[in-house]
Amino acid sequence: MFPGLSGAIQNLNAVAIGDKNADLVLENCSLVNVYTREILPEIQIAIYKDRIAYVGQDASHTKGRGTVVINLEKKYVTPGFADPHIHVDHFVSPTEFVKKSLLCGVTSLFSDPIDIVSTCGYRGFKEFVRMTSKLPARFFHVVPGGVPVDKKFSHEKTISLTEAKSALKIPNVLGLGEVFSWTKVTKRDPKTMRMLSAMLENDCVINGHTAGASGKKLNAYVSSGILSCHEPINFDQVLERLRLGMWIMIREGSIRRDLKDIIPLVLSNETYTDRLMFCSDGLDPSDIVRFGHIDHCIRESVKLGLNQIDAISMASKNCFDYYNMGKDLGGIAPGKLADILVFDDLVKMKPRKIFVGGNLVVSNGTIVSKIKKHVVPKWMTKTVKLRNFSEYDFWVKSLDNTANVNVINLKTEIITERINEVLSVKDRNVVASTDKDVWKVAAFDRTFGTATFPPMLRKHTVGFLKNFGAQIGAFASTWNFHENNMLVIGSNEKDMAKAANSLVNTQGGMVVVSEGKIMASMPLQMAGIVSTDSFETVSENFAKLNAVLVDSGCFHKKPHIVPIFLPFLALPDIRILSTGLIDVKNGLLLRVVT
């Protein structure tokens, strides 16, 4: 992964002993040592090229005519932070995301680009790796391990076993991403087991997703070589997994925030923290501005009583130990890559300076490293393969005066349940009911070239949704977890068509329509899930879109999440995809009109 160490040991050795000059010396700093759980004052750090050669109280023997010396004036230095599980292929481009994440001290990101793959396949995976390769933070990637969730109903692109083996030859590709359909493991699905075996044969890390698993099923999962999970939401789940030798990534992101329910019990039970990490699992533009990233996890954990150095270790050393990178990253010591954060204090945890591989990339809260914008290939901006819609595309036909229908009831933005409602039929079309807060919801396959199909041959489903609450005409999105259908929620068919056509024209995004007018929109031009606009533009569009929905009466705090999860087959109870209305628990297609 880092061939530089084997070729650098002669020079590092020479600098450490004083036979060669360092390139950079950081002196008069207070070192947070994650190996001994102490803060060492008046330390000097000598760096040669991208690695640390010497750490001690006197680095004068490493200085020479060409050595740059920086007096840190007793400021604190820590290793760079890492997010060991994040989906960066959401909302903003990696380039724009790094501009915010790096300022939070996150110098390494472990990316699972599952949604890029579900839309753009292996070709998209390779392009995504390329677009992260020259940024001033380190990106590591895993081959998405979760698609398809259920091949009976899922209709997205995947990575084959042959392609996965090929991907492992790409620099900074580490192994397999979260295997979130854990029943495929416990039932020994042949394709899944072959993929796991191939990863283990190549000595790769396999990330886990064990929501709902316990007992013998969890044992079977772990025995298959999957040793991490970011899904525990309480201490009992954390402890069961730790006892089985797993590593735990405590999630604090935009979908779930679990620190407050886990950290206090970790402390009261005196549980070892050496196999605990923080992760975000993904951040939306508002949250990273409001809270921060891994720095936020450290601050919140310390407020909950966690030792400051333990929190920093969970944000750095533990992550790299899990990924078998401890000899290169995770601490400040001889031989390590010089990813170093400099802080005025350890309370605010806002880095004053950031070095990545010995290069100064942030100074006084400003990125000083040049960031070249990656040009997105045109084929990645042409993924909404649908032609224009009419209101008739959203009809649900019935010959009766009323219709009994299966309805997706939203208990939260994420959790659903199946209920039944009786709706009116007008002109042989089952209509939504504002009185009952029952909406139409349509899912269209926008990935596989259906733009050339006549309307009657489009692969799509129109069903019904309850408990959304907004007084609007329609809300549509081309981004949803791992299916990436186009989802349209609406109170009337004309506005649904307007919203759908808007997303065809922008080639992706989210849009709110009322009475034929676009009230808010967030274009997501790259693969229909990532914007090519600046972070500031995306953040403004994102905030306005949610505000319009909430202000119009939507019951949910983050309305944008609703269409993201509606097709997500890894959660019960009832979901909608272009292939049909799905009873997840029983694996059955349901009739819309019963």
Side-chain angles (χ1 to χ4, degrees):
M1 183 57 63
F2 300 106
L5 180 57
S6 61
I9 58 174
Q10 288 275 27
N11 288 322
L12 293 174
N13 186 314
V15 172
I17 208 72
D19 293 336
K20 192 177 184 69
N21 296 335
D23 294 318
L24 172 66
V25 171
L26 306 177
E27 61 181 20
N28 194 20
C29 57
S30 299
L31 170 64
V32 177
N33 195 309
V34 295
Y35 301 113
T36 58
R37 205 169 178 255
E38 60 185 338
I39 297 176
L40 303 174
E42 299 181 2
I43 292 298
Q44 298 187 7
I45 303 167
I47 297 166
Y48 180 78
K49 292 189 177 179
D50 61 346
R51 290 183 181 266
I52 298 167
Y54 171 89
V55 178
Q57 292 188 329
D58 184 6
S60 59
H61 62 288
T62 71
K63 299 175 185 177
R65 291 177 60 185
T67 303
V68 176
V69 179
I70 301 176
N71 185 342
L72 293 181
E73 300 173 341
K74 298 184 180 180
K75 290 181 171 59
Y76 298 90
V77 295
T78 76
F81 303 149
D83 189 333
H85 177 71
I86 183 170
H87 301 284
V88 189
D89 52 338
H90 296 166
F91 297 113
V92 298
S93 68
T95 300
E96 294 298 309
F97 185 83
V98 161
K99 290 178 182 178
K100 299 300 178 182
S101 178
L102 189 58
L103 294 178
C104 299
V106 179
T107 55
S108 293
L109 296 143
F110 292 81
S111 160
D112 188 343
I114 189 168
D115 291 309
I116 282 288
V117 168
S118 68
T119 303
C120 299
Y122 184 44
R123 187 184 184 192
F125 177 81
K126 291 187 290 185
E127 184 61 33
F128 194 75
V129 172
R130 275 194 292 272
M131 71 177 64
T132 63
S133 63
K134 297 186 182 302
L135 294 173
R138 300 185 193 277
F139 274 83
F140 305 99
H141 303 272
V142 287
V143 176
V147 290
V149 181
D150 189 331
K151 61 185 178 183
K152 289 189 298 183
F153 309 120
S154 296
H155 194 210
E156 76 270 11
K157 295 181 180 180
T158 63
I159 289 182
S160 69
L161 179 58
T162 299
E163 289 170 336
K165 291 179 179 178
S166 178
L168 297 179
K169 300 175 184 177
I170 301 173
N172 293 339
V173 175
L174 307 179
L176 193 64
E178 56 177 315
V179 185
F180 55 73
S181 185
W182 55 262
T183 56
K184 288 184 179 179
V185 180
T186 59
K187 293 179 180 179
R188 297 178 298 284
D189 168 68
K191 184 177 179 181
T192 301
M193 300 309 282
R194 285 194 296 271
M195 182 69 79
L196 296 178
S197 294
M199 292 294 158
L200 295 172
E201 287 170 3
N202 285 277
D203 198 26
C204 291
V205 167
I206 306 173
N207 288 335
H209 177 121
T210 62
S214 63
K216 64 182 183 181
K217 293 178 180 178
L218 183 59
N219 273 266
Y221 191 85
V222 176
S223 71
S224 302
I226 309 170
L227 298 181
S228 72
C229 186
H230 61 278
E231 288 296 325
I233 61 174
N234 58 49
F235 178 71
D236 288 342
Q237 293 177 3
V238 169
L239 191 58
E240 182 181 13
R241 284 153 180 77
L242 286 176
R243 285 171 172 167
L244 298 179
M246 297 190 83
W247 297 70
I248 304 300
M249 302 171 183
I250 305 174
R251 178 168 46 192
E252 187 76 3
S254 292
I255 301 299
R256 286 198 61 93
R257 295 190 175 274
D258 300 320
L259 277 178
K260 66 182 185 302
D261 295 320
I262 294 175
I263 292 297
L265 288 170
V266 166
L267 296 173
S268 63
N269 285 273
E270 299 182 349
T271 304
Y272 287 163
T273 61
D274 58 349
R275 295 175 84 88
L276 299 180
M277 301 168 266
F278 304 118
C279 83
S280 69
D281 201 17
L283 289 167
D284 66 45
S286 294
D287 280 351
I288 195 169
V289 170
R290 180 183 176 188
F291 298 110
H293 195 169
I294 299 299
D295 58 326
H296 168 74
C297 299
I298 296 173
R299 287 190 295 270
E300 290 303 300
S301 295
V302 171
K303 288 178 185 177
L304 292 168
L306 187 65
N307 176 276
Q308 182 87 47
I309 303 177
D310 287 342
I312 291 169
S313 296
M314 289 168 60
S316 54
K317 176 183 178 294
N318 294 6
C319 302
F320 296 106
D321 285 349
Y322 165 67
Y323 280 105
N324 301 315
M325 296 180 181
K327 73 178 187 301
D328 293 297
L329 289 161
I332 296 175
K336 301 290 189 293
L337 288 161
D339 292 5
I340 297 172
L341 311 180
V342 181
F343 296 93
D344 289 338
D345 63 74
L346 296 180
V347 178
K348 295 179 182 178
M349 292 303 295
K350 288 297 181 185
R352 175 64 64 91
K353 294 182 184 296
I354 299 177
F355 297 87
V356 176
N359 293 315
L360 182 67
V361 296
V362 171
S363 180
N364 296 321
T366 300
I367 295 176
V368 295
S369 176
K370 290 183 179 180
I371 301 179
K372 185 177 180 180
K373 188 174 182 179
H374 184 87
V375 178
V376 180
K378 288 186 177 179
W379 61 267
M380 288 189 81
T381 64
K382 303 292 183 182
T383 63
V384 182
K385 298 175 182 177
L386 296 165
R387 66 184 188 182
N388 283 344
F389 291 82
S390 75
E391 62 184 282
Y392 301 108
D393 291 306
F394 301 93
W395 275 36
V396 176
K397 294 181 181 179
S398 175
L399 298 177
D400 298 320
N401 294 325
T402 62
N404 187 51
V405 299
N406 281 312
V407 176
I408 304 169
N409 185 48
L410 292 173
K411 299 179 75 174
T412 69
E413 294 103 323
I414 299 171
I415 305 302
T416 66
E417 65 177 354
R418 173 186 172 187
I419 63 172
N420 292 97
E421 292 280 358
V422 176
L423 300 176
S424 299
V425 178
K426 296 181 180 179
D427 300 323
R428 299 185 177 181
N429 172 39
V430 184
V431 294
S433 171
T434 54
D435 293 339
K436 294 182 177 181
D437 189 34
V438 175
W439 300 65
K440 281 193 169 176
V441 57
F444 292 85
D445 176 9
R446 56 104 171 169
T447 305
F448 283 95
T450 53
T452 59
F453 293 0
M456 68 286 298
L457 294 181
R458 291 177 182 162
K459 184 171 284 189
H460 74 282
T461 304
V462 183
F464 294 91
L465 180 75
K466 187 178 177 69
N467 200 31
F468 188 62
Q471 300 299 309
I472 59 166
F475 173 36
S477 173
T478 55
W479 175 40
N480 35 82
F481 283 144
H482 316 326
E483 304 296 335
N484 290 309
N485 289 178
M486 180 163 71
L487 265 287
V488 188
I489 300 167
S491 59
N492 69 82
E493 293 84 358
K494 287 186 178 180
D495 280 350
M496 292 176 79
K498 173 78 174 182
N501 288 333
S502 172
L503 296 186
V504 172
N505 292 335
T506 61
Q507 280 297 294
M510 294 183 174
V511 64
V512 180
V513 173
S514 185
E515 297 181 350
K517 296 181 180 179
I518 294 176
M519 308 302 293
S521 67
M522 180 173 64
L524 300 173
Q525 306 94 330
M526 187 172 83
I529 58 177
V530 176
S531 178
T532 56
D533 297 325
S534 69
F535 183 94
E536 289 71 24
T537 297
V538 180
S539 184
E540 182 180 341
N541 290 339
F542 176 79
K544 182 179 179 181
L545 182 130
N546 276 298
V548 165
L549 289 167
V550 171
D551 292 346
S552 71
C554 184
F555 299 144
H556 307 287
K557 292 181 180 179
K558 292 187 173 183
H560 76 279
I561 291 177
V562 174
I564 289 176
F565 274 93
L566 275 173
F568 189 49
L569 291 174
L571 291 174
D573 176 38
I574 180 172
R575 303 286 159 182
I576 187 170
L577 285 79
S578 63
T579 50
L581 192 65
I582 314 297
D583 175 342
V584 175
K585 185 175 181 179
N586 297 304
L588 298 174
L589 277 171
L590 299 173
R591 292 179 179 271
V592 173
V593 179
T594 61

